[in-house]
Every structure is written in structure tokens, then in C-alpha cells.
Amino acid sequence: MAIPLRLLLIEDSEDDALLVTHELQRHGYELVYERVESYAATNDALDRSGWDLIISDYSMPQFSGLAALALVQAKGLDVPFILMSGTIGEEIAVEAMKAGAHDYIMKNSMTRLPQAIDRELREAKMRQDRRQAQEIIDYMAYHDPLTALPNRALLHEQLQQAIKLAQREHKTVALLLLDLDRFKEINDTLGHARGDAVLQQVGHRLKEALRESDMVARLGGDEFAIMLPLSSPDHAHIVARKVLSALEAPFIMEKLPIMVEASIGIALHPDHGDTVEELIQRSDIAMYIAKRHKSGFVLYEPALDQHSPRHLTLMAELRQAIDQRQLRLYYQPKVDLKTGRMTGVEGLLRWQHAEHGFIPPDQFIAPAEQTGLIFPLTRFVLEEATQQCRAWRQGGLNICTSINLSARNLQDPTLPRQVAELVAARGLEPCGLELELTESAIMMNPARALEVLTQLHEMGVLLTIDDFGIGYSSLAYLQRLPISTIKIDKSFVLNMVSNDNDRVIVRSTIDLGHNLGLKVVAEGVENQVIWEELIAFDCDLAQGYYISRPMPAADLPAWLSQSPWGAGLPAAS
Ligand code: C2E
Ligand code: CA
Ligand code: CA
């Protein structure tokens, strides 16, 4: 049976070409071939793709086999390339193979040619199959099989890129989250197959209504997302209206008109978030409000947060997590920059949610403040931290444990009494406990805060201003506070090596603190260069990933025994 083969023969000798084609025809190949012998002719021939195989002479008067190979590679073609020569020596052959030729053949042993070709064609076919399979896998990873629209993963990637671009160019990105109303009814009454057909048509109409540069994705179920790069806020409103009107005409299912309505939530970058997660979450909140008020579309605003179902369930779950003591405190060491020894730890909350996995404190602390849950939460943290601190001290590890307070804790007149009782109950010296608070928390109600802080200070508890530098930094006010330490915000420390401005801020904050008789901590110490610069600036304490990430209390003994910062300290449990 004849096997069709499209062969490009780069060969100056008509006779040698005949030899090759004869050999291949004898072997059962049905040849379509072309002979060329110059760069220009090869270039042209390669552009008329479709070659199964290239055989090239090693040296020709006008051209060379290796130059032909380079040309094939430059064009990104994956076609088996066999070099052929009458004079080829071992060295040249090796060189050719290294350059990427698939095989080489001596003109005087032409009988080897058919096997070589069989093998190379087989392998080329395998490479092609693999490439196609990979393309299908890639496509499936990024597209929704039902509507062929981009899926959540692709939206995620593109949105991330759009945010980056918008940041560089100071533009806006809008994310519209669209959810069909009462789609479950359609599914239940018409059946899933027709429900799917409606979803396909919705996807189609959305695409039709939008521009090429806008992206429509299906996130799953009856939820779609639209990304509008570089649009102005007003533009997002116009698009939302356009999308809703595109869905107004009934969908015809087996001659039956079906009405589909939708609700849209809109979130904008930079106004409402800088990350994909934030934009999705906020547009989801706005969408929920649009649905509840049957208002078509709603633009996100922070005041909506409190009514979002996510917020409400999260807070109900947090309440439960506190009661059932599912929250944990992790501890991050603070190290004295002069002695190189750990002197204390900061307790940081960790919530491992059964369903959503790890939830960072930044996501639940602020809502806990709004709902008042911050009070039992801080109580939990205080109980845990004082108990742990006592355990360390009993084991001979005389370190100071600090915890974070929120703005509302500073307005809580019962806080000093709670702290006093706990410290006494644990038999702790008050100076074993340190409280971190931000300037902005104090500024919410300075008079009240000063009262609470003064009581705590008089008990002997140490007070630290956290995130220093991003707040009001009112020097005069700072002087009136009974604090012992300021902690320079990590945003300055992280970039102090590369950013002159940040370095100046870090350096002058250290000087300022020392002039006021305060200790200065730098947080966000991520590498040795920062560490050494802080020593040069005479900073007192350092905290950051360079030293350690926050860890469970149970991991501290092992960490102490193997890290340079634990040398000489008892590895107490
Ligand atoms: P914070 O008090 O400024 O805590 C420092 C944050 O920086 C922690 O994040 C810590 O893990 C992170 N961090 C430490 N070293 C490095 C570093 O070298 N590089 C970088 N990039 N980051 C570093 P975390 O644990 O996510 O806490 C975030 C914020 O949540 C805290 O900021 C604090 O404001 C709040 N928080 C955490 N636990 C509590 C708590 O028990 N009560 C209250 N009220 N707030 C808490
Ligand atoms: Ca802190
Ligand atoms: Ca901080």
C-alpha cells in the first residue's frame, strides 16, 4: 500500500535526488516532492508548509544543510530533518545532531534511509498528537464546556492582568457579576437539558451585546461575569443597562417563549479593590443587593457589606468558632538586634475554616469590629496568650507576649479590669504582656483611649503603637501617650533597601522614637540586607519572615533549638 509523503529535498545534485526518491518509492512511499538548492528557494518552500519530511544535502555550492536546519528552526516548524552527505565525517555528524537534525545518512548507505524515515515520521506524529492533546487540555482548563465561554480560571488570570495594566496606566477596570433570577424554576419546570440550552443562549447574547475587548465568562451555574478593561465608572453603568436589555427579549425554547431576568453587581478597580478576590467578592455583594431589591444592577459601596449574606454567615460562623475555640494563636518571634536573641513574640490569630480553608485575619477582624464580635474575640486572644505566656515562663523562657487590640477594644471601659484579672489569675507579671494598638484606633476617640491606656500602663502592661508611619504620626500627641514602643509599619521596612524614601522614613522614625525615649521595632524584616541596615540604624527589635513566620506555640521549642536567635534560651514548651 502506498504511503503518501510530502518531501522537501534540499539538494544541488539531480542525480542524488533521483537516488533518494527512487529508494523511497521502492520502499512504498508515494512521493510529492520538490527539490531546492538555495536559501531563497528553501525559504519559499518552507512557507508553503505541509511538509512531512525534509532531507538536506550537507554541503552545496549555494547553501548548506546546517543553514537550512537553522531556517527550519527559526520558522518554528516541527518537521523531521535528515542530513545527507557523501563526505560526512563523524564530527560533522555529531555537530548536526547537536544542532537538532533528526538523523544523518551517508549517500553510500542509502538503504538505511527508509527505516530512518519510518521512525522519524512515527515520532513526529507522536509529538503532534501530544501537542494536540495538550492544546485540548489547556482549552478545557480555561473554558466552560457548556457555553464555550472562558471559565473562572481564565477570568481570574485576565482580570489580574487587566488590574496590573490599569495600575500602570491609571485607568479603571470594571467587573460585572451577573446572576439569572429564578433560574432554578426554569430548570425545574423545563428540565436540565432545556435549562442548559437557555444558558448557552444567554452566553451568546452577552457576547453579542459586548465589544471584542470586553470579556464574558461563565463562573458556573447561572452566574456569568463581564470584565471591562479601561472603562470609566459611567461606562460600567451603560454596559450593565445594555446587558440587561439584551436579555429582555424572550428566549424561544421549542416554540415556547421563556423570560429570563438577571441581576448585576458591579465593582471597580481601583475604587473597590486591588485584587481579583476583592473585586469578585464586592461585585458579589452588590449583585446580592440588586437581586434582593429587584433593581437590575447595583454599584458596590462599602456600606453594602453589612447586608451581604457572606458577611452574615461569616460572622455567625466566627461567633461559633470563638465559642468552640476553633481559632488559634500563632506566634511570631521578635528579636533584639543588638544581642541577636529572641525577646518576645506577637500573637496573631489564625482561623482554619472547615469549608473555606484558611481565612486571613484581615478578612474577619474588621467585620468583627462592626458586629461587636471583637469583644469575645479579644477576650479569647487574651486568655490564650496569657496562658501560653505563663507556660513559657514556667519553662524558664522569660519572654514578652504581645497581642493586637482593635479600635473598639480601646473604647471598652471594662478592658483594663479584664486584663488585670487575667494577669492575676495566671500569676503573670504584667510586663509579660504587651498590647499593640494603631494610631488610628486611638484617634477614633482619643480622650477615651487615653483613659483606658493610662489604666493599662499603670498596671504595668506594655503598650506599643503598631503600624507606625501610616497614621497621623502626631508627634505632640504621641508624647502624651503612656507607650513604651513604636513598631514601624512593614510597608516601609519591606522596601527600605530599594526605596530611598522608605529608608529615610525608617531611619528618622528610629531617631524620633529614641528621642522620645521609646523602643523601636521594625516589622516585615524579610532578608538579611534589611536586618543589617536596621542594625546600622540602631533599631532595637526586628520581626519578620527572615527570622520566622508566625508558628503554633508547639513549634517554638524546635525553632528555638535550631535557630541562631534561640541560642542560649531554654527551649521551653
Ligand atoms: P499586624 O499586627 O501588623 O501583624 C503583622 C502582619 O504582618 C501579620 O499578618 C504577619 O504575619 C505579617 N508579617 C510578619 N512578618 C512579615 C514579613 O516579613 N513580611 C510580610 N510581608 N508580612 C509579615 P497577619 O497575621 O495576616 O495579620 C494581619 C493583621 O491582622 C495584623 O497586622 C493585625 O492588624 C490583625 N490581627 C491579627 N491577629 C489579631 C488579633 O488577635 N486581634 C486583632 N484585633 N487584630 C489581629
Ligand atoms: Ca501587630
Ligand atoms: Ca503591624
Side-chain angles (χ1 to χ4, degrees):
M1 196 185 70
I3 311 158
L5 183 71
R6 286 155 302 172
L7 168 69
L8 179 63
L9 202 50
I10 308 172
E11 171 64 81
D12 61 306
S13 150
E14 184 95 53
D15 288 348
D16 287 352
L18 269 177
L19 217 63
V20 170
T21 53
H22 180 70
E23 185 64 35
L24 290 181
Q25 276 155 348
R26 211 167 58 89
H27 190 70
Y29 283 111
E30 188 186 302
L31 283 187
V32 175
Y33 84 97
E34 185 176 338
R35 185 176 68 84
V36 289
E37 56 182 302
S38 69
Y39 174 89
T42 307
N43 195 32
D44 278 356
L46 288 176
D47 285 343
R48 276 177 272 117
S49 63
W51 303 111
D52 297 318
L53 176 71
I54 301 168
I55 297 179
S56 174
D57 196 4
Y58 180 73
S59 67
M60 291 160 277
Q62 304 179 41
F63 199 27
S64 92
L66 288 181
L69 176 58
L71 188 59
V72 171
Q73 288 168 338
K75 289 181 187 289
L77 299 174
D78 179 19
V79 183
F81 188 102
I82 295 178
L83 266 178
M84 207 169 55
S85 172
T87 56
I88 205 163
E90 184 99 351
E91 262 166 52
I92 292 171
V94 169
E95 185 195 352
M97 299 295 282
K98 269 195 187 149
H102 292 89
D103 205 348
Y104 72 93
I105 301 283
M106 304 288 210
K107 284 186 178 169
N108 59 13
S109 61
M110 200 63 91
T111 45
R112 214 168 69 75
L113 187 61
Q115 282 107 315
I117 291 176
D118 286 350
R119 186 194 60 235
E120 289 310 328
L121 290 179
R122 241 187 352 260
E123 285 184 6
K125 174 85 171 58
M126 264 165 56
R127 284 198 298 273
Q128 193 193 0
D129 288 351
R130 226 174 294 141
R131 254 194 322 266
Q132 271 172 358
Q134 192 58 47
E135 273 167 22
I136 293 171
I137 290 169
D138 289 348
Y139 181 85
M140 283 178 10
Y142 284 119
H143 290 85
D144 164 46
L146 180 67
T147 59
L149 290 174
N151 65 8
R152 188 181 283 273
L154 188 52
L155 174 80
H156 209 279
E157 268 185 23
Q158 302 270 335
L159 192 52
Q160 205 152 23
Q161 280 176 19
I163 289 173
K164 266 199 207 133
L165 192 70
Q167 278 166 346
R168 258 204 311 270
E169 299 181 349
H170 303 288
K171 300 232 168 103
T172 302
V173 185
L175 179 68
L176 279 65
L177 204 70
L178 178 146
D179 193 283
L180 304 183
D181 299 339
R182 296 185 312 275
F183 183 70
K184 194 174 170 311
E185 282 170 29
I186 296 180
N187 248 345
D188 290 348
T189 45
L190 300 179
H192 281 275
R194 292 193 193 96
D196 283 354
V198 170
L199 290 175
Q200 282 171 335
Q201 292 188 24
V202 168
H204 186 71
R205 281 202 201 169
L206 293 180
K207 262 195 92 67
E208 292 276 282
L210 297 163
R211 294 196 192 145
E212 269 302 303
S213 57
D214 306 337
M215 178 181 189
V216 185
R218 177 169 174 240
L219 303 183
D222 56 353
E223 214 178 45
F224 294 82
I226 298 162
M227 178 181 91
L228 312 168
L230 318 181
S231 61
S232 78
D234 297 340
H235 185 180
H237 282 169
I238 296 169
V239 173
R241 264 189 218 106
K242 201 159 116 189
V243 165
L244 289 176
S245 67
L247 299 178
E248 266 168 13
F251 290 79
I252 308 297
M253 265 306 118
E254 289 161 15
K255 299 199 183 130
L256 242 110
I258 295 170
M259 302 302 290
V260 172
E261 277 169 31
S263 302
I264 297 177
I266 308 170
L268 308 173
H269 165 78
D271 301 19
H272 308 134
D274 298 324
T275 65
V276 173
E277 288 77 14
E278 280 170 348
L279 289 184
I280 290 183
Q281 192 204 333
R282 307 221 144 134
S283 57
D284 189 56
I285 289 170
M287 190 273 291
Y288 172 80
I289 305 292
K291 196 160 267 227
R292 212 172 56 171
H293 296 184
K294 301 191 172 38
S295 50
F297 67 89
V298 163
L299 181 67
Y300 172 82
E301 53 179 302
L304 300 179
D305 280 352
Q306 296 182 36
H307 308 289
S308 82
R310 184 188 147 87
H311 172 90
L312 295 175
T313 26
L314 196 73
M315 286 305 105
E317 288 165 343
L318 181 60
R319 162 101 255 174
Q320 221 177 19
I322 297 169
D323 290 345
Q324 299 174 357
R325 304 188 88 78
Q326 286 163 358
L327 301 174
R328 298 184 66 190
L329 265 192
Y330 271 38
Y331 297 91
Q332 187 176 36
K334 294 183 192 176
V335 170
D336 187 317
L337 279 155
K338 295 193 181 63
T339 64
R341 295 287 169 274
M342 183 186 83
T343 59
V345 292
E346 174 179 6
L348 293 159
L349 262 180
R350 294 293 175 258
W351 183 10
Q352 189 65 34
H353 189 284
E355 219 176 292
H356 307 309
F358 173 70
I359 305 181
D362 286 333
Q363 273 180 31
F364 63 85
I365 296 288
E369 283 214 67
Q370 287 165 12
T371 52
L373 268 183
I374 194 70
F375 298 117
L377 185 132
T378 301
R379 172 84 200 175
F380 168 85
V381 172
L382 265 172
E383 285 174 4
E384 285 287 307
T386 48
Q387 188 173 339
Q388 187 56 56
C389 185
R390 184 187 50 180
W392 280 323
R393 288 187 166 229
Q394 280 174 345
L397 194 59
N398 264 320
I399 54 171
C400 185
T401 305
S402 62
I403 64 156
N404 293 282
L405 292 184
S406 287
R408 282 186 76 178
N409 294 131
L410 293 186
Q411 315 303 324
D412 175 7
T414 71
L415 181 75
R417 202 187 64 234
Q418 286 188 52
V419 172
E421 284 170 3
L422 265 175
V423 165
R426 309 281 195 231
L428 268 186
E429 291 161 67
C431 66
L433 182 68
E434 185 170 347
L435 303 175
E436 300 190 4
L437 28 116
T438 61
E439 291 166 85
S440 56
I442 297 169
M443 291 307 168
M444 281 240 314
N445 185 343
R448 189 73 150 298
L450 187 60
E451 219 171 281
V452 170
L453 293 181
T454 306
Q455 287 180 45
L456 287 165
H457 171 69
E458 280 167 1
M459 283 160 41
V461 172
L462 298 174
L463 301 173
T464 289
I465 299 289
D466 202 352
D467 301 346
F468 187 81
I470 57 173
Y472 304 83
S473 314
S474 152
L475 230 177
Y477 190 76
L478 204 65
Q479 249 169 326
R480 289 173 40 206
L481 293 175
I483 56 168
S484 63
T485 311
I486 48 178
K487 189 187 259 193
I488 311 174
D489 189 66
K490 59 176 174 290
S491 61
F492 304 109
V493 178
L494 287 171
N495 302 320
M496 65 181 278
V497 176
S498 56
N499 183 318
D500 287 340
N501 209 15
D502 288 353
R503 188 192 295 118
V504 170
I505 291 175
V506 170
R507 176 174 219 154
S508 50
T509 305
I510 295 169
D511 292 344
L512 162 79
H514 287 165
N515 285 337
L516 294 176
L518 302 172
K519 276 205 173 209
V520 183
V521 188
E523 65 175 8
V525 179
E526 288 194 352
N527 55 54
Q528 192 176 355
V529 187
I530 300 179
W531 167 274
E532 274 161 11
E533 200 134 296
L534 288 169
I535 292 181
F537 290 173
D538 205 24
C539 188
D540 300 291
L541 295 164
Q543 179 181 355
Y545 296 165
Y546 174 61
I547 298 152
S548 170
R549 293 196 173 240
M551 63 188 132
D555 292 356
L556 193 73
W559 181 82
L560 280 172
S561 66
Q562 52 82 33
S563 94
W565 295 289
L569 295 176
S573 60

